[in-house]
Amino acid sequence: MKKEDMVKLISSEGFEFVIDKDAAMVSQTIYNMLTSPGSFSETQHGEVTFPEISTTILEKICKYFYWHLQFASGKETEFHIEPELTLELLMAANYLHT
Amino acid sequence: MGGVCSRKRDQRDNEDNVLRGVSGRYIKSGSSKWLATSFPRPAIDVQLGRGKCPSLLDLCIRKICEDIDRYSTFSMLPRDISQQIFNELVYSHRLNDVYLEAFRDCALQDLYLGEYPGVNDSWMDVISSQGSSLLSVDLSGSEVTDTGLLHLKDCLNLQALNFNCCDQISDHGLERISSSFSNLTSLSFRRNNAITAKGMSAFAGLVNLVKLDLERCPEIHGGLIHLKGLAKLESLNLKCCNCITDDDMRPLSGLVNLKVLQISCSKVTDFGITFLQGLHKLSLLNLEGCPVTAACLESLSALAALLYLNLNRCHLSDDGCMKFSRFGNLKVLNLGFNDISDACLVHLKGLTNLESLNLDSCRIRDEGLVNLIGLRHLKFLELSDTEVGSNGLRHLSGLTSLESLNLSFTVVTDGGLKKLSGLTSLKSLNLDARHITDTGLAALTSLTGLTHLDLFGARITDAGTNHLRNFKNLRSLEICGGGLTDTGVKNIKDLSSLMLLNLSQNSNMTDKTLELISGLTGLVSLNVSNSRITSSGLRHLKTLKNLKSLTLEGCKVTVNDIKMLQSTDLPNLVSFRPE
């Protein structure tokens, strides 16, 4: 896997998730950051920091990205959400346009 | 943060009804919910397992609704998100007065609770806590009373209020609201028996009102005087208010911005219509069932913007119909059930903009149709119950824009139908007439765009069904002439677009028919009454998951057989017979 096909998502606690760029771009917000010409430093470094998203939530979001890709390819399974995470996940999903 | 929040608040329009000549069909009963008058409810439109991937936001909202008892408040959420949670709870019928509490002070904008069970005054406190954020509220069909209505007095930005079928709201409630609601643009109080002229004095303060709906309010005579100053009013619905008389038309004369006026089934006569002459922006006028004669055309011809005119079931006769020639702009004209003949049609010759013409049950004959030759824009032509026969159809063969043609209960025979073979835009064709047989159907095979074909009383046999193979787009089909057997159904089983199928009265059909149609999974409505269907054939229907209506009267099938099928395999079935 080439480095430019991957992106690094960093949580508020500094935890790093290295995932496929295709998966990350399920999020309209991340897509915009990674594709807008020049201005965003995220575009150049392939790194995005989310000071308002905790590690637990960011991990869940990464799982959703891959679940989404699977779903799109025809494998329609259920995406499980823990009740205690729902509200925080909801806010993050709203921010990420996901 | 802040997502996209789409706000669709348009009510289903009445213009469709006028086009088809049908007046208010709303019935307050469970089985007619799809005709409801409340705002259409927004909902997360992504269904799991339907191919489109639900967003994480949708999944979270759904999860919150499932675990709703875990949440005591949503007031910390952005308003557009709590709005989506609210909508989903309503849509999934999980909302009740206890869970509603979580939405206190959420700054919600739209509360669409029309026809929602259990809504009463105890809900009003939370509803009004949305305060100045609240823009539209639909409480149609609720138990809300005048006291409950008072709660809304602090919601100063309300733009749309819908209180249809709220029979506990009366003049007292109305009198209290007017001063608060100067921003109101849309107000609806359909089917209210308690509102009178006295309470309507409150409307005088609603200076921004654009749309007012008082359909089926029987006590409002004398109250329209209070609308006089509502200069912005564009739409006024007084359908089926049979208390409305000529006197009530007088105050409307100055409402020059009116575009839509519906006074069907009122007592308004030709004299009352004279007060409408100055409404130069009026584009839709519905006079269905009013005792007006052709004399009212004199006043109406002053309305240069008029596009839709419904005179169905009025007192028109040929006398005075020459004035129709002045209505060259009209797009939709409904003259059904009037005592008019070919002599009237002569004056429609120049109405070349007409797209829809209804002549249901008029004394129209073959010769009269010659006057329609030039109406090249006609899409909808209703000739049901006229004296039109095969000789007249040649006058229609050039109307190539026609999309819907009704020839039911006419004397049209097989011989005339080839004149229709060039009408390839036709989507809907009604040939419910006893003189039509297989031979006639053979002449129509070029009409491959047909989506609706009604051969209810036509004498179609198994041999004739071969021609149905050409109509691959058919969504509805009715053949009930008694001549079909299981053999004929073999030609129907591959019409995979079918949603409505009526094969009743074909008394020789057996369970084999049900087996044959088991692949028509799009079916929403099925009728095979008065046939030899038995309860053991019902198992073939298990595949018809979309079925909402099933009619098997006069068959060896009991209500329990159908209920069993409903509970095990057909969850969408809402209407069935025997019941």
Side-chain angles (χ1 to χ4, degrees):
Chain A
M1 189 66 74
K2 277 185 272 178
K3 187 169 178 289
E4 53 268 34
D5 293 333
M6 308 298 282
V7 287
K8 194 186 280 180
L9 308 182
I10 305 169
S11 74
S12 58
E13 296 98 327
F15 202 95
E16 299 178 354
F17 294 89
V18 180
I19 66 169
D20 291 283
K21 203 169 168 181
D22 287 347
M25 296 212 301
V26 165
S27 156
Q28 189 62 42
T29 307
I30 297 178
Y31 177 89
N32 291 344
M33 286 172 166
L34 295 178
T35 55
S36 35
S39 55
F40 280 103
S41 65
E42 288 87 348
T43 318
Q44 286 143 21
H45 300 108
E47 249 183 55
V48 191
T49 307
F50 298 102
E52 289 180 25
I53 302 182
S54 72
T55 307
T56 322
I57 295 298
L58 193 55
E59 182 184 8
K60 195 78 195 168
I61 285 167
C62 291
K63 280 182 182 163
Y64 173 80
F65 290 155
Y66 282 100
W67 178 84
H68 182 106
L69 293 183
Q70 245 183 25
F71 194 100
S73 69
K75 196 176 167 208
E76 300 185 7
T77 56
E78 200 175 318
F79 185 73
H80 179 71
I81 298 172
E82 293 79 359
E84 60 277 15
L85 298 185
T86 317
L87 265 190
E88 220 182 318
L89 195 58
L90 172 84
M91 299 297 280
N94 187 45
Y95 170 66
L96 292 170
H97 287 272
T98 302
Chain B
M1 299 202 184
V4 182
C5 184
S6 73
R7 305 180 64 255
K8 291 181 191 164
R9 291 190 285 109
D10 290 335
Q11 268 179 284
R12 260 160 273 192
D13 218 302
N14 294 309
E15 302 190 1
D16 277 357
N17 287 348
V18 175
L19 201 71
R20 290 179 178 80
V22 180
S23 65
R25 294 177 300 168
Y26 172 66
I27 302 156
K28 190 181 176 185
S29 81
S31 62
S32 308
K33 278 282 167 64
W34 45 83
L35 299 176
T37 54
S38 47
F39 295 129
R41 285 200 189 103
I44 297 173
D45 53 2
V46 182
Q47 300 275 310
L48 274 176
R50 292 275 174 91
K52 193 168 180 280
C53 189
S55 71
L56 185 55
L57 190 68
D58 289 346
L59 291 172
C60 290
I61 287 170
R62 238 178 257 159
K63 183 70 181 163
I64 287 172
C65 292
E66 280 168 25
D67 305 330
I68 185 68
D69 39 6
R70 292 175 63 100
Y71 302 92
S72 56
T73 179
F74 295 115
S75 60
M76 70 295 188
L77 292 179
R79 147 186 50 233
D80 57 310
I81 295 188
S82 41
Q83 178 78 59
Q84 288 184 61
I85 296 171
F86 180 86
N87 293 348
E88 179 65 13
L89 277 177
V90 172
Y91 184 75
S92 61
H93 275 242
R94 282 199 182 89
L95 189 66
N96 60 29
D97 54 342
V98 178
Y99 300 148
L100 181 71
E101 196 56 41
F103 293 95
R104 187 178 288 281
D105 300 320
C106 280
L108 297 178
Q109 293 183 319
D110 304 301
L111 299 177
Y112 296 154
L113 291 164
E115 319 296 329
Y116 197 82
V119 178
N120 56 33
D121 284 352
S122 72
W123 293 48
M124 296 308 291
D125 195 36
V126 175
I127 289 174
S128 63
S129 75
Q130 315 306 324
S132 56
S133 298
L134 199 58
L135 299 179
S136 67
V137 176
D138 184 354
L139 295 168
S140 295
S142 72
E143 305 288 318
V144 170
T145 70
D146 289 335
T147 317
L149 190 59
L150 190 59
H151 276 90
L152 292 176
K153 69 179 191 315
D154 296 325
C155 303
L156 298 175
N157 290 320
L158 271 171
Q159 293 172 3
L161 271 178
N162 212 341
F163 287 102
N164 300 324
C165 309
C166 291
D167 34 27
Q168 300 190 55
I169 289 179
S170 69
D171 288 347
H172 299 295
L174 289 184
E175 282 160 4
R176 291 164 175 176
I177 57 165
S178 67
S179 53
S180 309
F181 294 157
S182 57
N183 288 311
L184 214 55
T185 57
S186 173
L187 182 61
S188 187
F189 278 105
R190 290 188 187 185
R191 285 180 177 259
N192 187 302
N193 294 326
I195 295 178
T196 73
K198 184 168 172 287
M200 286 172 72
S201 62
F203 294 160
L206 306 177
V207 293
N208 285 304
L209 209 57
V210 174
K211 193 167 178 177
L212 179 61
D213 191 336
L214 298 170
E215 184 175 321
R216 287 174 198 267
C217 292
E219 304 297 335
I220 59 170
H221 171 62
L224 301 187
I225 188 89
H226 303 297
L227 307 184
K228 241 179 162 175
L230 305 184
K232 294 185 180 172
L233 204 62
E234 291 181 12
S235 172
L236 180 59
N237 183 1
L238 302 169
K239 276 199 276 190
C240 303
C241 300
N242 56 10
C243 59
I244 294 293
T245 67
D246 289 344
D247 285 342
D248 290 304
M249 294 298 102
R250 198 184 297 266
L252 303 185
S253 60
L255 297 175
V256 292
N257 282 313
L258 264 189
K259 292 177 181 159
V260 174
L261 179 60
Q262 313 214 50
I263 49 175
S264 49
C265 304
S266 66
K267 294 197 177 83
V268 175
T269 72
D270 296 334
F271 176 65
I273 301 301
T274 61
F275 297 111
L276 307 180
Q277 290 184 71
L279 304 181
H280 61 274
K281 289 188 184 170
L282 202 64
S283 72
L284 186 151
L285 181 59
N286 183 355
L287 298 174
E288 179 165 348
C290 293
V292 296
T293 73
C296 77
L297 298 176
E298 180 64 39
S299 315
L300 296 181
S301 62
L303 304 174
L306 203 61
L307 299 176
Y308 304 79
L309 179 59
N310 189 345
L311 293 166
N312 200 35
R313 298 173 198 271
C314 293
H315 293 182
L316 265 60
S317 63
D318 290 336
D319 206 19
C321 276
M322 71 278 279
K323 295 203 188 74
F324 272 119
S325 58
R326 300 187 201 167
F327 290 78
N329 292 331
L330 275 188
K331 285 190 170 173
V332 177
L333 179 60
N334 189 339
L335 295 172
F337 298 92
N338 281 289
D339 185 26
I340 54 171
S341 72
D342 294 346
C344 174
L345 289 198
V346 174
H347 308 294
L348 303 184
K349 223 189 249 181
L351 275 53
T352 52
N353 288 309
L354 271 187
E355 293 176 8
S356 171
L357 179 61
N358 188 335
L359 297 167
D360 196 338
S361 304
C362 297
R363 285 183 289 116
I364 307 299
R365 295 168 185 234
D366 293 340
E367 308 83 71
L369 296 186
V370 74
N371 298 298
L372 306 186
I373 286 178
L375 307 184
R376 293 305 182 106
H377 293 116
L378 264 191
K379 291 180 182 167
F380 176 98
L381 181 59
E382 168 73 64
L383 293 169
S384 183
D385 266 309
T386 60
E387 294 162 37
V388 168
S390 286
N391 279 331
L393 297 187
R394 63 197 157 102
H395 302 307
L396 305 183
S397 54
L399 300 178
T400 50
S401 299
L402 269 186
E403 293 176 10
S404 175
L405 177 61
N406 191 339
L407 293 167
S408 61
F409 303 102
T410 59
V411 289
V412 168
T413 60
D414 290 339
L417 292 188
K418 57 178 179 293
K419 301 289 183 205
L420 304 181
S421 61
L423 301 179
T424 51
S425 297
L426 271 183
K427 290 178 181 150
S428 174
L429 180 59
N430 192 329
L431 289 171
D432 177 6
R434 282 307 277 172
H435 309 289
I436 303 297
T437 73
D438 296 344
T439 317
L441 196 52
L444 298 173
T445 50
S446 56
L447 305 181
T448 53
L450 279 181
T451 57
H452 300 277
L453 180 58
D454 189 339
L455 293 162
F456 188 95
R459 285 174 294 158
I460 304 298
T461 70
D462 292 338
T465 60
N466 281 307
H467 307 302
L468 296 174
R469 289 171 169 273
N470 298 287
F471 309 132
K472 296 216 184 316
N473 299 312
L474 274 188
R475 299 214 305 260
S476 92
L477 175 64
E478 308 197 44
I479 304 181
C480 311
L484 283 199
T485 73
D486 298 337
T487 312
V489 179
K490 285 178 188 159
N491 289 318
I492 294 174
K493 72 174 173 52
D494 294 321
L495 300 174
S496 58
S497 300
L498 276 178
M499 297 170 72
L500 182 150
L501 182 59
N502 185 355
L503 298 173
S504 61
Q505 323 307 328
N506 293 299
S507 52
N508 290 319
M509 281 185 175
T510 72
D511 291 342
K512 179 73 181 166
T513 282
L514 297 189
E515 186 182 346
L516 285 166
I517 62 171
S518 62
L520 295 175
T521 53
L523 280 181
V524 172
S525 171
L526 176 65
N527 188 341
V528 202
S529 292
N530 298 316
S531 62
R532 291 194 212 158
I533 304 284
T534 70
S535 51
S536 64
L538 290 184
R539 64 195 150 93
H540 299 302
L541 302 181
K542 289 181 177 177
T543 45
L544 306 183
K545 298 293 182 200
N546 292 311
L547 211 57
K548 287 185 177 171
S549 167
L550 176 61
T551 311
L552 295 169
E553 298 269 32
C555 301
K556 286 186 178 139
V557 174
T558 67
V559 58
N560 282 336
D561 297 333
I562 298 183
K563 280 187 175 165
M564 183 77 85
L565 181 70
Q566 180 192 32
S567 65
T568 57
D569 294 285
L570 300 180
N572 291 317
L573 201 60
V574 289
S575 162
F576 50 83
R577 281 178 182 275
E579 60 177 5

